[in-house]
Amino acid sequence: MDFRPAAPAKAVPSGNLGRLAFGFLAVCVASGVALTPFYSPAHALDSLERLQGGLPWGFFFRALHTYSAFGLLLAAAGHLIQVLAARTERQLAGPEWWRSVLLLPLLVAALLGGFVLRADAEAAAALPVWRHILENVPLVGAEAARLVLGAGIGDPGAVTLHHAGAFTILLWLFTSTHGGRLLPDRRSTILAGLVSVALAGTVPLALGSAPGAGPSASAGSLLLGPWYLLGLQGALVDLPVAVGWLGPLALVLLLGLLRHARERARRLLIALAAAWIGADLAFTVRLLLLAKR
Amino acid sequence: MFKTASLISAVLAGVLGLFVAWGHETARARSTGKGPEPAGRNERCLTCHVKASEDPSGAHASSALGCASCHLGNPLAFEKERAHRGLVREAGELSTVALTCGREGCHPREAARVSSSLMARGSGIVAVDRWVFGEIPSRDSGETIQKVLAAVRPTPGQIHLRKLCGGCHLGTLRGNRDDAIAGNGSGCAACHVALHAASDPARPHPPVESRVGDDRCFGCHSRSGRISLSYEGLAEIEPRQIAPPPAPCAAVTKLPDGRPACRHEPDVHRAAGMSCTDCHLNTELMGDGTLRAHKEEQVEVTCEACHGPAANETNWGSVEDAITRDLLRLRGESRPPLERVRLGRRGTPLWNLRPSASGWALAAKLDSRTLPVKPTPSDANHRMKGHARLSCSACHAASAPTCSTCHTRFDPGKKQWDFGAGHETPGGWIEDSEGFGFAHPALGVRADGTIVPAVPGMILDISSAGGPSSAHRLFAPLEPHSTGKRARTCESCHRSSVALGLGTGALGLDGQAPTFTPVKPAAANSSLAGDGWTSLFPETPGLGTRTGFRSLDAPEQLRVLTVGVCLPCHAKVSDPIWRDFRLSLSRLSPKSRCPFGQTTPPWILHTNADTSVRVVSTSDTAATIGFN
């Protein structure tokens, strides 16, 4: 069911990665639904261990869920680059553009939520970092942290709720609104599914060490966050915690303003966004080097 | 949109993915434990470790604590590799003790203290050894064995420690541990886990217990001062001494690590059925949080704590400290709030010593047997003038091990295990001697003036360790743990060259001055016996392995020998001359004769005439010695 009339052919020059992203979202949601009965936030690590080693094909469905989410992120990012390259951002109305841009932080939040639900040593370390960043936001920080991460320190219950509920519903809603259809097309869904299956089978997904499983489990190694936030983690090694929310906010603003900028300003904004990504990559490399030491 | 080719490629990749995943699934199903998950427990270790012999049972049974409480790892994992990630094989080892035995809710107080204990730090051995090598100025440096083992560029003294002594401390791990304690665990487990039976192929989990058997102490303490051996009535000998064995040897036996040993009388406490922990307090063994330089500083219990007179006892208290209360609780015991208890030197209660109908009784910690404790009799032996400075063991130590002919040399061409590196490294220390002995110990004087048993600590030559050669003649203070109910005889001190620290030889007391002729003079100094500590009437007393510890000085030797002259005729302690020996001496004249015709040696009269005597030692060095 379409929410809006189909765009003219010339108005859809942004490649097919957007549709593929929707396909990945569908695979991700479906595999997530399959995992839900086996996950309990009260016994988060136990649930993951059971999925990973105790249930037939549990590891596969978990990997399917994870790789489809990564596929969603990469396809969405690729789609954004296609849009900017084709200069088609003005085909969307202002509010719709901003809503589409907001898909990115929403998607990252959903993915980060999934990372935290692993409840292994890295996830257990990531949760307080996330809370600390949120709480650093002036005025609304403390409440936002309670809303997103819950009141109980170290309890992934609220994150579970948002990961499986609020974030997913919003993602689907914004994506379907943006794509002009409630469901992804069959071909994209099949392609996304097959890619996810191929990755889930051939690149097994590891689970980190249990928190407090002994010093030798993590001795000498830095606990790393999710790969898509390594740049931010690297920046926070030296920079103040405010960078944790100012950085992403800056990128969202840069992308959002692109829709309203004239030619020179647009070039400047794109240059700034590129610089942001370059810095992010640099911080990622530095963090990885630190972790390797 | 998507081309058919890309779809076909994706289908092929997907099929490949499913095929590989099927392989993973098969491997997963094969590697997971098949045992039932324990109901109500959030651990899966027992799905693989299904054998009952893998359970320590008792208070630490897996049904009570699980496995991960002690061994860490990931108890939720289904697969071996994940489950064992972060596993601590030797639970209780000191580097992870805060996460295992010392975790909140278990034994945090004890674990926090144990790293401060001398058994963990080994600082006494380190300091004396490096001082002997001339590397540090003090015998009380406090340097730990951990620091020695971690030294990047070890000094000769540190190499000596790393190759010979570094394998016996609480921080040792399996595979890098002295042979003598190969069966022990590490850290807390070194004492609280029963020895591993290496020959048992089933490798059962040894029990974990608060009661510590003497076998755990035996490994480390059967070396150096060999107090575990002496306590058991054993004395190490060299293989070449087996036939014929040294004189007091009742029978020759073999120690668990293969060393030959002689059987003789065990310590009177051992004969009564007491174990090491019946006397030694938790603060001595597990530390009390204070860093101490030497063993005698760490020890808190005293003979007087049990055998002191019942009256005038100031060392009283009650069971109030948390660890003692824990110990009692673990044993299902309690103490009435007002029950007074005797205390160690630093106030730790001897909770197993209790008043009884007949006086005092000691509850054996291993088997809870009640043993009567007899107070020291207030008889003439224990009230004799001039004996006030003697420690109990100075008289009651029946024997002590002696190794007075050690030679330690460094062979750079040899390879030897390095406990710091954890593997063999070039260079090896070689120790050899002409044989061990066990006999009444010599007597030495501690810095506080107390006279205690002394044994050869380091009579050794050190040659070629990258440094200059050196020779040392140091005795060490020792509580030999060979207590006899009967004290050594008066003659064994007052007419014994060994007791005076002179070594084996002939004492002449009847001439113009006392003389000493060693049986086997030291190579470098003919006035010294090869096994001696000092010479007769030395200008400066022999040095010890502790600051201030020395041999008897010349006035002390003179006093001892003066008594010795009279002993053949006045052997009984009740003899009137001993009531006031100074007065008895003042009554002597050159014409004085004993009823048996003995004449008075003139050097005794000198002491009486002007409170000083000029004596000549075998080295022809004259000395004027006061007698007061």
Side-chain angles (χ1 to χ4, degrees):
Chain A
M1 187 171 74
D2 284 354
F3 284 136
R4 37 174 280 191
K10 69 178 180 60
V12 197
S14 50
N16 40 29
L17 287 178
R19 291 166 56 192
L20 184 63
F22 204 179
F24 274 119
L25 178 60
V27 175
C28 190
V29 170
S31 54
V33 168
L35 293 174
T36 303
F38 305 103
Y39 185 83
S40 160
H43 306 285
L45 184 63
D46 191 20
S47 305
L48 262 291
E49 291 289 359
R50 187 175 288 281
L51 278 172
Q52 192 73 9
L55 286 172
W57 292 91
F59 76 93
F60 179 76
F61 278 94
R62 175 175 168 249
L64 195 65
H65 183 60
T66 305
Y67 284 121
S68 58
F70 293 166
L72 169 59
L73 180 65
L74 292 173
H79 176 58
L80 175 65
I81 292 167
Q82 281 182 327
V83 166
L84 295 180
R87 298 168 174 265
T88 54
E89 65 269 19
R90 283 175 178 271
Q91 287 181 6
L92 294 178
E96 193 175 336
W97 169 253
W98 278 99
R99 202 163 49 235
S100 304
V101 168
L102 284 177
L103 264 173
L104 267 183
L106 188 61
L107 178 54
V108 169
L111 261 66
L112 182 56
F115 180 84
V116 166
L117 296 193
R118 283 165 38 178
D120 58 9
E122 291 168 342
L127 188 57
V129 174
W130 192 1
R131 181 181 294 278
H132 193 41
I133 291 171
L134 275 182
E135 284 175 342
N136 190 257
V137 178
L139 302 176
V140 297
E143 291 310 319
R146 253 192 292 277
L147 178 71
V148 177
L149 305 178
I153 304 295
D155 176 9
V159 182
T160 308
L161 186 69
H162 292 307
H163 177 75
F167 291 157
T168 305
I169 292 169
L170 285 173
L171 271 176
W172 196 280
L173 193 65
F174 285 11
T175 305
S176 57
T177 308
H178 175 79
R181 51 190 306 153
L182 182 62
L183 298 171
D185 67 279
R186 194 169 48 200
R187 203 178 174 93
S188 300
T189 307
I190 290 171
L191 190 64
L194 289 170
V195 170
S196 302
V197 165
L199 286 169
T202 53
V203 190
L205 204 58
L207 186 61
S209 302
S216 57
S218 55
S221 63
L222 196 65
L223 290 175
L224 295 176
W227 61 268
Y228 42 88
L229 288 178
L230 288 181
L232 203 59
Q233 184 184 351
L236 289 175
V237 171
D238 296 317
L239 300 177
V241 67
V243 171
W245 61 272
L246 279 173
L249 179 66
L251 185 64
V252 169
L253 287 176
L254 286 173
L255 294 173
L257 290 172
L258 273 171
R259 159 72 177 72
H260 311 285
R262 301 274 175 198
E263 191 54 32
R264 282 187 63 187
R266 185 178 187 276
R267 276 207 297 272
L268 178 66
L269 287 173
I270 287 178
L272 285 173
W276 192 102
I277 290 165
D280 187 78
L281 287 174
F283 278 123
T284 300
V285 170
R286 178 166 173 266
L287 185 72
L288 293 175
L289 290 175
L290 274 177
K292 203 173 177 183
R293 236 180 259 167
Chain B
M1 296 303 160
F2 300 116
K3 298 283 187 292
T4 306
S6 62
L7 201 57
I8 291 171
S9 304
V11 168
L12 290 174
V15 169
L16 175 69
L18 279 174
F19 186 72
V20 176
W22 179 65
H24 289 313
E25 169 58 21
T26 309
R28 182 206 64 79
R30 208 182 303 126
S31 68
T32 52
K34 301 295 183 287
E37 283 193 41
R41 285 206 57 79
N42 212 11
E43 275 199 4
R44 302 202 169 91
C45 312
L46 299 183
T47 59
C48 290
H49 298 277
V50 293
K51 284 189 277 185
S53 61
E54 293 183 278
D55 190 338
S57 70
H60 293 81
S62 59
S63 58
L65 297 181
C67 304
S69 305
C70 302
H71 288 283
L72 304 181
N74 181 357
L76 300 173
F78 285 80
E79 297 150 296
K80 182 179 176 182
E81 189 276 327
R82 280 194 54 70
H84 288 189
R85 199 178 294 171
L87 187 91
V88 174
R89 190 177 170 85
E90 295 190 65
E93 59 111 344
L94 294 185
S95 67
T96 55
V97 72
L99 303 170
T100 56
C101 310
R103 62 172 36 188
E104 200 56 44
C106 294
H107 311 287
R109 282 187 296 259
E110 292 83 346
R113 292 188 333 189
V114 79
S115 296
S116 75
S117 79
L118 212 53
M119 290 202 289
R121 301 169 67 246
S123 57
I125 290 174
V126 171
V128 172
D129 196 273
R130 295 200 64 205
W131 177 74
V132 165
F133 272 79
E135 295 174 357
I136 53 174
S138 165
R139 283 157 280 193
D140 312 306
S141 71
E143 184 182 6
T144 64
I145 193 72
Q146 286 79 11
K147 191 175 173 191
V148 169
L149 296 176
V152 179
R153 288 191 186 83
T155 60
Q158 287 175 325
I159 294 171
H160 185 243
L161 287 162
R162 286 165 66 131
K163 299 216 169 204
L164 294 183
C165 318
C168 268
H169 60 98
L170 290 187
T172 59
L173 290 177
R174 195 176 297 164
N176 189 24
R177 183 179 290 158
D178 192 281
D179 293 345
I181 54 169
N184 291 63
S186 183
C188 304
C191 299
H192 289 287
V193 174
L195 300 189
H196 288 266
S199 57
D200 189 342
R203 294 170 55 81
H205 194 304
V208 183
E209 52 205 2
S210 61
R211 299 172 195 226
V212 177
D214 289 358
D215 57 344
R216 329 288 157 75
C217 315
F218 192 91
C220 291
H221 295 283
S222 68
R223 302 286 183 91
S224 193
R226 292 166 171 78
I227 53 176
S228 279
L229 293 183
S230 300
Y231 191 65
E232 296 287 343
L234 294 165
E236 183 181 347
I237 56 174
E238 291 274 18
R240 74 173 82 102
Q241 293 177 285
I242 292 175
C249 192
V252 174
T253 185
K254 206 175 228 186
L255 301 179
D257 59 2
R259 288 176 288 161
C262 273
R263 284 213 171 279
H264 58 91
E265 281 290 310
D267 187 287
V268 68
H269 301 95
R270 162 42 98 216
M274 288 173 62
S275 62
C276 305
T277 54
D278 285 331
C279 290
H280 290 292
L281 306 175
N282 67 80
T283 45
E284 304 172 31
L285 306 172
M286 296 192 290
D288 59 0
T290 303
L291 305 182
R292 302 188 191 282
H294 296 285
K295 186 165 57 184
E296 59 274 18
E297 296 167 25
Q298 185 90 55
V299 169
E300 195 175 350
V301 73
T302 60
C303 305
E304 293 87 344
C306 289
H307 297 288
N312 301 324
E313 176 61 72
T314 55
N315 209 7
W316 292 88
S318 54
V319 175
E320 288 172 0
D321 67 297
I323 287 188
T324 305
R325 284 209 305 263
D326 280 354
L327 284 169
L328 287 168
R329 184 175 48 77
L330 286 170
R331 300 169 66 94
E333 295 181 33
S334 61
R335 292 286 182 272
L338 295 178
E339 180 176 308
R340 297 171 78 212
V341 65
R342 296 205 181 190
L343 306 176
R345 282 191 302 166
R346 292 190 293 277
T348 305
L350 276 75
W351 56 267
N352 58 330
L353 183 68
R354 304 188 71 183
S356 71
S358 58
W360 289 90
L362 182 130
K365 289 178 184 168
L366 290 185
D367 55 17
S368 301
R369 274 185 310 136
T370 302
L371 304 167
V373 176
K374 293 174 186 166
T376 305
S378 183
D379 57 14
N381 289 304
H382 293 92
R383 285 185 280 110
M384 180 163 272
K385 278 187 178 177
H387 281 183
R389 289 163 62 202
L390 290 176
S391 69
C392 301
S393 57
C395 294
H396 284 277
S399 67
T402 57
C403 180
S404 53
T405 54
C406 295
H407 182 79
T408 302
R409 64 194 160 86
F410 186 75
D411 181 353
K414 192 174 183 260
K415 273 196 157 189
Q416 194 175 36
W417 190 268
D418 181 335
F419 291 105
H423 54 78
E424 282 195 342
T425 55
W429 287 97
I430 300 162
E431 289 182 308
D432 50 30
S433 79
E434 292 170 17
F436 298 100
F438 58 104
H440 280 312
L443 297 176
V445 185
R446 286 198 319 226
D448 65 1
T450 309
I451 295 172
V452 298
V455 293
M458 287 194 167
I459 297 183
L460 80 171
D461 307 313
I462 301 169
S463 51
S464 178
S469 298
S470 57
H472 298 273
R473 186 166 291 273
L474 306 171
F475 271 50
L478 180 74
E479 290 296 337
H481 288 69
S482 59
T483 314
K485 187 176 178 184
R486 294 181 66 85
R488 62 196 291 181
T489 63
C490 305
E491 286 83 359
S492 75
C493 286
H494 289 281
R495 294 178 70 85
S496 163
S497 59
V498 171
L500 291 178
L502 305 176
T504 313
L507 265 178
L509 303 179
D510 298 330
Q512 291 297 313
T515 59
F516 172 66
T517 310
V519 169
K520 191 174 178 185
N525 184 347
S526 63
S527 70
L528 274 176
D531 59 350
W533 183 8
T534 186
S535 58
L536 187 63
F537 306 130
E539 287 179 29
T540 54
L543 292 175
T545 57
R546 301 289 188 277
T547 302
F549 186 63
R550 59 171 174 82
S551 66
L552 300 183
D553 60 17
E556 288 162 343
Q557 286 184 352
L558 180 65
R559 289 203 295 272
V560 170
L561 292 175
T562 303
V563 171
V565 167
C566 305
L567 276 175
C569 300
H570 305 276
K572 287 190 175 176
V573 73
S574 55
D575 191 295
I577 75 160
W578 305 122
R579 283 183 205 147
D580 189 337
F581 186 54
R582 185 187 298 271
L583 184 65
S584 304
L585 280 179
S586 69
R587 289 176 182 154
L588 287 174
S589 73
K591 294 177 182 171
S592 296
R593 279 180 177 276
C594 287
F596 308 107
Q598 296 272 8
T599 53
T600 307
W603 54 275
I604 291 187
L605 299 176
H606 288 303
T607 63
N608 181 39
D610 57 2
T611 70
S612 69
V613 61
R614 189 170 174 78
V615 296
V616 180
S617 75
T618 49
S619 61
D620 293 336
T621 53
T624 301
I625 303 163
F627 189 92
N628 45 38

